[in-house]
């Protein structure tokens, strides 16, 4: 196997693992739009990075973190505009401006697709290092914060009364999302990064009875999607992001459908039993 | 008499929510081993006062002092969790800080909810959810139990059981209890102290004292006079109308 393919697999699996864990929280806390807004904003990081001569991962992370802080601050002061509108505003505003700025940059123009949809062929050793460091930091942070974060997710006021530092954990979690998006952007692309967060988690919801199992299953489904997607992407020469997301969507439909069938069968069995009794 | 430990000291608290003065110079205290109930008509500020004590509601004037390191167990009025979060009752109880399985078993059997342990939290009824939240408070060695209308959505028998459980817990652990209620008659045998609230403290004392007080009567008597509920069968309408 050529080395660049190995790099793609390793990087993709790394992103999928951490995206599964964090993505479950994104689903539980209904923050899909928030992560969408941040993911789209990474496109602004590309011209910024090129302009400042920074590493593109780093500049994407920078913009992501900056926007996360901005969105949290807006969220507090929102007044009359509903939250999902604000997220939409940020998501599409940054996407539009990012695309505009990119269109002015001659050299980048051709690579636009790669930023939007991911580019596995371009996963470098420094990208891998970025995924690795980011992944380790995120896993460690999540490990430490798991219980309080879960309690906040269950009920914020109950958590507050029980002495959990709610504000601090909320901030930390939003910054963690920013980090995972910046890490995954190179592989899945800015447009589809949110899908890697929420689709495996949504699939796992049908087959998990506890939050821990759902997070673990989401990570697993994410890995399967990444491996399947990257393989398909190389076989048919398709962009990696859409391929990965398509496999994840397939996994979701499969789980959902089998779950549906099982529950209707159970329901039918129930009526039979009733009739026999009568 | 032995000096009881002061758990909560509310002093002249004033709160305005959306330019309406909800609490206007309210003072009250809760001691360890004491069941204190807040009653009053809708919009009287009962829940607001409770939330202020819990640190969930800010206030403009006055002060609220809590005993140092006070461990509070909170049973909110409504408790719903997102359907996307898979959570069994057992897992939820084990989320309690320093949870131990043996303590969970004790707490759950104390509230008579052992059969609920493996059910998803979302499938519990209002009364069942309350029992679980109660069990959670027991697991934490709670020094102050705070309950917001624990009798709501529970049938008469359930209400009685809940109050008995409260009194029993107080006797066993010596914790203080602060609760919002809507029915003075239901509280009669259980509460040590009742605060009748209507923006300000109308009157306060033992349930019997409050019942006889003209402040309470002027708030509730018009309704009670027309409906006239006997003490054994209290009606919600009597207070909430």
């Amino acid at each position: 196997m050529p080395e660049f393919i190995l790099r793609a697999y390793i990087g993709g699996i790394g992103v999928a693992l951490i995206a599964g864990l964090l993505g479950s929280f994104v689903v539980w806390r209904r923050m899909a739009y928030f992560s969408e807004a941040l993911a789209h904003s990474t496109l602004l990081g590309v011209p910024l990075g090129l302009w400042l001569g920074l590493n593109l991962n780093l500049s994407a992370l920078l913009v992501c973190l900056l926007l996360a802080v901005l969105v949290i601050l807006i969220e507090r002061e929102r007044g009359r505009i509903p939250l999902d509108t604000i997220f939409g505003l940020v998501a599409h505003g940054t996407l539009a401006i990012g695309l505009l700025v990119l269109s002015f940059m001659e050299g980048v123009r051709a690579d636009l697709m790669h930023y939007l949809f991911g580019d596995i062929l371009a996963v470098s050793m420094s990208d891998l290092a970025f995924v690795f460091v980011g992944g380790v930091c995120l896993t460690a942070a999540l490990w430490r914060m798991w219980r309080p974060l879960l309690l906040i997710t269950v009920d914020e006021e109950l958590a507050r009364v029980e002495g959990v530092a709610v504000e601090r954990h909320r901030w930390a979690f939003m910054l963690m999302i920013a980090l995972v998006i910046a890490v995954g952007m190179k592989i899945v692309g800015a447009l589809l990064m949110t899908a890697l967060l929420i689709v495996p988690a949504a699939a796992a919801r049908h087959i998990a009875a506890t939050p821990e199992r759902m997070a673990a299953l989401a990570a697993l489904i994410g890995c399967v999607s990444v491996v399947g997607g990257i393989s398909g992407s190389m076989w048919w020469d398709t962009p990696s992001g859409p391929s990965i997301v398509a496999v994840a969507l397939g996994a979701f439909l499969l789980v959902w459908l089998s779950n549906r069938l099982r529950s209707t069968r159970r329901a039918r069995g129930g009526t039979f039993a009733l009739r026999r009794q009568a | 008499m032995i000096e009881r430990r002061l758990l909560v000291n509310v002093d002249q608290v004033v709160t305005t929510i959306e330019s309406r003065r909800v609490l206007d110079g309210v003072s009250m205290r809760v001691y360890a081993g004491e069941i204190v109930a807040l009653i009053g008509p809708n919009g009287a500020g009962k829940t607001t006062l409770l939330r202020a004590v819990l640190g969930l509601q800010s206030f403009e004037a006055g002060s609220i002092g809590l005993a140092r390191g006070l461990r509070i167990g909170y049973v909110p009025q409504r408790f719903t969790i997102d359907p996307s979060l898979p959570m069994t009752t057992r897992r939820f109880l084990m989320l309690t800080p320093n949870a131990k399985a043996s303590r969970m078993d004790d707490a759950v059997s104390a509230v008579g909810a052992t059969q609920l342990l493996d059910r998803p939290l979302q499938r519990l009824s209002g009364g069942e959810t309350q029992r679980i939240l109660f069990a959670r408070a027991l697991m934490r060695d709670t020094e102050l139990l705070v309950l917001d209308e624990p009798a709501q959505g529970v049938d008469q028998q359930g209400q009685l059981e809940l109050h008995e459980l409260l009194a029993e817990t107080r006797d066993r652990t010596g914790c203080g209890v602060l609760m919002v209620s809507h029915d003075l008659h239901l509280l009669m045998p259980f509460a040590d102290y009742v605060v009748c609230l209507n923006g300000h403290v109308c009157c306060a004392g033992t349930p019997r004292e409050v019942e006889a007080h003209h402040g309470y009567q002027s708030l509730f008597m018009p309704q009670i006079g027309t409906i006239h509920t006997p003490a054994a069968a209290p009606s919600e309408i009597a207070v909430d109308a």
Side-chain angles (χ1 to χ4, degrees):
Chain A
M1 198 186 290
E3 206 189 300
F4 72 92
I5 297 177
L6 200 63
R7 280 203 298 266
Y9 278 122
I10 293 175
I13 288 174
V15 171
L17 280 175
I18 191 67
L21 300 181
L22 271 176
S24 300
F25 274 103
V26 171
V27 170
W28 299 331
R29 298 182 60 77
R30 305 191 166 209
M31 290 175 69
Y33 268 113
F34 174 78
S35 66
E36 178 96 334
L38 293 191
H40 287 183
S41 75
T42 54
L43 274 188
L44 277 176
V46 175
L48 185 81
L50 291 173
W51 180 46
L52 292 174
L54 276 175
N55 176 301
L56 289 192
N57 290 321
L58 215 60
S59 59
L61 176 63
L62 219 66
V63 171
C64 232
L65 288 176
L66 219 69
L67 257 124
V69 172
L70 189 72
V71 169
I72 298 170
L73 292 179
I74 296 175
E75 189 189 344
R76 287 203 186 149
E77 304 289 323
R78 66 185 140 132
R80 288 183 196 164
I81 300 176
L83 208 53
D84 57 340
T85 304
I86 289 175
F87 289 155
L89 208 105
V90 173
H92 303 297
T94 51
L95 183 62
I97 293 170
L99 289 174
L100 275 179
V101 176
L102 282 175
S103 74
F104 281 119
M105 307 184 88
E106 281 303 322
V108 189
R109 207 165 182 171
D111 298 331
L112 196 54
M113 284 287 278
H114 298 155
Y115 295 118
L116 287 175
F117 299 119
D119 180 11
I120 42 154
L121 300 182
V123 176
S124 64
M125 274 319 267
S126 88
D127 291 334
L128 267 194
F130 191 63
V131 169
F132 182 77
V133 172
V136 167
C137 288
L138 281 169
T139 313
L142 205 53
W143 181 264
R144 277 196 58 139
M145 292 177 25
W146 188 269
R147 203 193 56 78
L149 207 52
L150 204 52
L151 195 54
I152 291 171
T153 305
V154 169
D155 192 288
E156 227 169 81
E157 295 198 331
L158 197 67
R160 203 182 296 263
V161 171
E162 291 186 3
V164 176
V166 172
E167 275 320 294
R168 213 178 63 208
H169 284 93
R170 280 182 53 177
W171 273 87
F173 177 66
M174 290 184 181
L175 297 181
M176 281 159 83
I177 295 184
L179 183 56
V180 76
I181 286 169
V183 165
M185 183 241 190
K186 189 69 172 271
I187 289 155
V188 198
L191 279 189
L192 293 170
M193 186 53 213
T194 303
L196 195 63
L197 283 170
I198 60 173
V199 178
R205 174 62 185 103
H206 295 298
I207 42 178
T210 63
E212 288 75 17
R213 243 173 273 166
M214 175 161 155
L217 281 167
L220 186 72
I221 294 170
C223 287
V224 170
S225 310
V226 162
V227 171
I230 291 180
S231 308
S233 149
M234 282 183 301
W235 193 259
W236 287 293
D237 194 22
T238 49
S240 56
S243 316
I244 292 168
V245 174
V247 176
L249 184 68
F252 171 82
L253 289 175
L254 206 71
V255 172
W256 178 72
L257 211 67
S258 68
N259 204 56
R260 232 4 236 276
L261 285 176
R262 208 179 326 141
S263 61
T264 42
R265 203 179 304 146
R266 206 181 299 135
R268 213 181 296 144
T271 37
F272 279 141
L274 255 178
R275 247 180 241 154
R276 216 170 295 143
Q277 252 180 10
Chain B
M1 207 178 114
I2 310 160
E3 187 74 25
R4 288 172 308 168
R5 185 171 172 229
L6 179 61
L7 301 181
V8 180
N9 186 14
V10 177
D11 187 30
Q12 294 294 323
V13 164
V14 176
T15 311
T16 309
I17 300 174
E18 285 168 6
S19 68
R20 197 172 76 86
R21 182 142 299 186
V22 180
L23 297 177
D24 195 3
V26 172
S27 302
M28 58 163 294
R29 289 175 163 192
V30 182
Y31 289 92
E34 189 182 56
I35 297 182
V36 177
L38 303 172
I39 62 166
N42 279 339
K46 297 170 302 219
T47 297
T48 307
L49 178 56
L50 210 69
R51 290 172 59 80
V53 168
L54 292 169
L56 300 173
Q57 167 73 51
S58 59
F59 47 93
E60 303 131 53
S63 71
I64 294 180
L66 299 180
R68 193 178 292 276
L70 184 68
R71 264 193 310 279
I72 301 178
Y74 176 37
V75 180
Q77 191 174 25
R78 268 181 316 209
F79 181 79
T80 49
I81 72 166
D82 201 277
S84 69
L85 179 61
M87 181 72 84
T88 58
T89 303
R90 186 189 302 276
R91 183 70 193 96
F92 172 64
L93 287 171
M94 291 305 283
L95 269 183
T96 315
N98 310 317
K100 287 194 189 68
S102 58
R103 298 235 29 202
M104 179 188 71
D105 291 337
D106 291 345
V108 168
S109 63
V111 302
T114 316
Q115 75 284 0
L116 303 178
L117 274 181
D118 291 310
R119 286 245 293 271
L121 214 51
Q122 289 94 339
R123 295 232 191 105
L124 303 187
S125 72
E128 287 168 341
T129 307
Q130 232 154 34
R131 280 170 185 274
I132 294 304
L133 287 167
F134 205 113
R136 198 185 155 82
L138 294 182
M139 282 172 72
R140 297 180 58 232
D141 287 323
T142 296
E143 295 162 296
L144 175 71
L145 254 172
V146 178
L147 306 95
D148 195 353
E149 296 234 25
Q152 213 177 46
V154 182
D155 62 23
Q156 204 110 65
Q157 184 58 32
Q159 289 180 23
L160 204 69
E161 280 172 19
L162 199 80
H163 283 91
E164 275 165 0
L165 192 62
L166 262 179
E168 186 199 301
T169 305
R170 186 268 316 264
D171 294 343
R172 194 159 39 88
T173 67
C175 68
V177 176
L178 175 62
M179 61 190 288
V180 166
S181 182
H182 55 240
D183 203 307
L184 184 61
H185 296 290
L186 201 66
L187 292 169
M188 281 292 178
F190 302 107
D192 300 301
Y193 199 75
V194 174
V195 177
C196 181
L197 207 63
N198 190 23
H200 59 283
V201 177
C202 291
C203 54
T206 65
R208 294 271 168 229
E209 283 166 10
V210 167
E211 190 187 30
H213 196 278
H214 63 86
Y216 170 77
Q217 289 176 353
S218 65
L219 265 183
F220 293 115
M221 269 322 184
Q223 291 97 335
I224 289 177
T226 50
I227 298 169
H228 194 79
T229 43
S235 159
E236 281 189 29
I237 308 161
V239 178
D240 281 353

